[in-house]
Amino acid sequence: MIRNAAIALPGSEYSATNHPQCKALSHAGKMYYIFQVGCFQESSSLAEEAQVWMSIIKSFFFMVLPGALLIAFAWPATQPSVETNKAVCTLCFYGPDNVVFDAKGNAYITDSDHKSRFRVLKVSPEGRQIDEWRVFPAVSGRESGPEGIAIAPDGNIWVTDGGRLRILKLSPAGKLLMSIGKKAPLFHDLGHVAIDSSGYIYVSEGGQNRIQKFSPAGKRVAVWQRPKGSGPEEWNRPETITARSDGSLIVEDWGNRRIVILSVSGQTQFAFGGPGQGLGHFENSSGLCVDHEGNIYVPDLKLHRVQKFGPAGKLLSTVSNSGEDALFSEGPSGIAVDAQGNLYAPDGLSIVRFSAEGKLLGRWR
């Protein structure tokens, strides 16, 4: 049940005046309904729509009386932007890409149209915007904005800045704490970032077939670069990377359509996958993540599916659009997992939230 909230909805969309706790009023020739959202169940479409409008209407005057309803007077507001499927947006993404979670369950999302609109969104576990950080300038001739993002053991956030070719360290409040690559050029093209349990930072550069490793203080301590190819000691555009609890690194070898596991010293331990549409293979992998048990999830943008592999690379299960309800319309173009084991996948201008078994849990728009 939603409590302690009031909302006004345009009267043209709902006929709710028969509800004993709803009142109608008009202003400037427009009808609004005033009601206590707490008298509706969260599962009802009316309550869900109320949550949407709560985040949109900008001018509220609340008067709270003990033991009484909350009363809201709402002036006409600008109609929110909509997607092609006509669903009203609350987060109104430009192009969500990568997602990570902090210890409180808040999500940090890189969101960019790769032209002029760039930000990191901080979103509550319920899908409500907490903050946004716009610290990424557009740089002519270069794909700008954030892409890779990771959270360090101390709770700070590391994110790539493609325009300035830097790695930024931000506090949970969005304050810039450090920048790697500002004093001297260290990167040619930035991809993704990962943080291990000791706070070491790993940065992939797909076009260079290279991964660089930095200390928590930002000092470069290792460079792993491979020839371009499909051999055991070759790469073809390493993209998404993530660290496991044992210090090993999981690498999406995107051009070879495979996943490579590196040791702490950067040596290849094993690889799995390969090009193809069959189970255990990838047509167009689009990221990876690892859960607390070490299982690896790999989305496939072209095949609209997510495959789950065990820590040793054994295929365990597949979630796809073959079920009763399609999860993905354009994606999944990435993947993330929260502390409860639920998965989040960017899908066009939305993020799909679903269980590891493939049950749809919701969509952030």
Side-chain angles (χ1 to χ4, degrees), residues 110-231:
T110 57
D111 186 31
S112 169
D113 64 2
H114 298 294
K115 295 177 183 178
S116 60
R117 299 185 296 176
F118 322 111
R119 63 182 177 175
V120 170
L121 274 173
K122 183 177 181 179
V123 178
S124 73
E126 297 77 28
R128 297 183 179 90
Q129 181 175 326
I130 298 173
D131 203 351
E132 63 175 15
W133 307 329
R134 298 176 181 269
V135 294
F136 310 95
V139 177
S140 178
R142 188 175 293 150
E143 188 172 283
S144 302
E147 184 176 3
I149 188 167
I151 292 188
D154 61 6
N156 292 311
I157 297 94
W158 290 85
V159 59
T160 61
D161 181 352
R164 293 180 293 185
L165 295 178
R166 299 175 186 174
I167 309 297
L168 308 182
K169 179 183 180 181
L170 305 174
S171 74
K175 180 182 179 180
L176 179 62
L177 303 176
M178 184 191 300
S179 179
I180 299 177
K182 180 179 180 179
K183 294 181 179 180
L186 297 172
F187 311 106
H188 290 280
D189 63 305
L190 279 175
H192 294 259
V193 60
I195 314 289
D196 67 18
S197 58
S198 299
Y200 283 86
I201 304 132
Y202 303 81
V203 182
S204 66
E205 296 177 275
Q208 305 298 310
N209 271 347
R210 180 168 68 184
I211 295 173
Q212 298 192 62
K213 180 179 180 180
F214 298 86
S215 73
K219 180 181 179 180
R220 184 165 58 186
V221 296
V223 178
W224 305 328
Q225 192 164 19
R226 304 284 175 85
K228 183 178 181 179
S230 58

Side-chain angles (χ1 to χ4, degrees), residues 92-336:
C92 300
F93 292 117
Y94 306 143
D97 195 357
N98 292 288
V99 185
V100 292
F101 296 92
D102 65 18
K104 297 180 180 178
N106 299 312
Y108 300 80
I109 305 166
T110 57
D111 186 31
S112 169
D113 64 2
H114 298 294
K115 295 177 183 178
S116 60
R117 299 185 296 176
F118 322 111
R119 63 182 177 175
V120 170
L121 274 173
K122 183 177 181 179
V123 178
S124 73
E126 297 77 28
R128 297 183 179 90
Q129 181 175 326
I130 298 173
D131 203 351
E132 63 175 15
W133 307 329
R134 298 176 181 269
V135 294
F136 310 95
V139 177
S140 178
R142 188 175 293 150
E143 188 172 283
S144 302
E147 184 176 3
I149 188 167
I151 292 188
D154 61 6
N156 292 311
I157 297 94
W158 290 85
V159 59
T160 61
D161 181 352
R164 293 180 293 185
L165 295 178
R166 299 175 186 174
I167 309 297
L168 308 182
K169 179 183 180 181
L170 305 174
S171 74
K175 180 182 179 180
L176 179 62
L177 303 176
M178 184 191 300
S179 179
I180 299 177
K182 180 179 180 179
K183 294 181 179 180
L186 297 172
F187 311 106
H188 290 280
D189 63 305
L190 279 175
H192 294 259
V193 60
I195 314 289
D196 67 18
S197 58
S198 299
Y200 283 86
I201 304 132
Y202 303 81
V203 182
S204 66
E205 296 177 275
Q208 305 298 310
N209 271 347
R210 180 168 68 184
I211 295 173
Q212 298 192 62
K213 180 179 180 180
F214 298 86
S215 73
K219 180 181 179 180
R220 184 165 58 186
V221 296
V223 178
W224 305 328
Q225 192 164 19
R226 304 284 175 85
K228 183 178 181 179
S230 58
E233 299 302 323
E234 296 174 324
W235 291 336
N236 186 2
R237 292 199 67 88
E239 291 289 347
T240 308
I241 52 178
T242 191
R244 297 206 280 197
S245 58
D246 63 359
S248 59
L249 196 67
I250 309 173
V251 179
E252 177 196 16
D253 187 3
W254 181 81
N256 287 321
R257 305 295 193 264
R258 66 185 179 188
I259 305 301
V260 179
I261 311 299
L262 302 181
S263 68
V264 176
S265 60
Q267 301 300 310
T268 300
Q269 294 183 321
F270 64 93
F272 61 90
Q277 297 185 1
L279 294 178
H281 295 268
F282 312 112
E283 186 75 6
N284 185 4
S285 62
S286 50
L288 60 84
C289 69
V290 61
D291 65 19
H292 68 281
E293 295 179 346
N295 298 309
I296 304 164
Y297 298 84
V298 184
D300 195 306
L301 183 63
K302 188 171 183 179
L303 299 180
H304 302 299
R305 72 183 183 190
V306 176
Q307 297 187 92
K308 177 182 178 180
F309 299 86
K314 179 183 178 181
L315 179 64
L316 301 179
S317 62
T318 300
V319 171
S320 69
N321 277 349
S322 59
E324 182 177 333
D325 297 317
L327 291 172
F328 315 113
S329 58
E330 301 178 43
S333 56
I335 194 70

Side-chain angles (χ1 to χ4, degrees), residues 15-24 34-36 39-40 46 69:
S15 177
T17 53
N18 60 343
H19 195 284
Q21 292 186 334
C22 290
K23 298 181 180 180
I34 309 300
F35 64 92
Q36 183 187 18
C39 64
F40 295 96
L46 187 58
L69 294 179

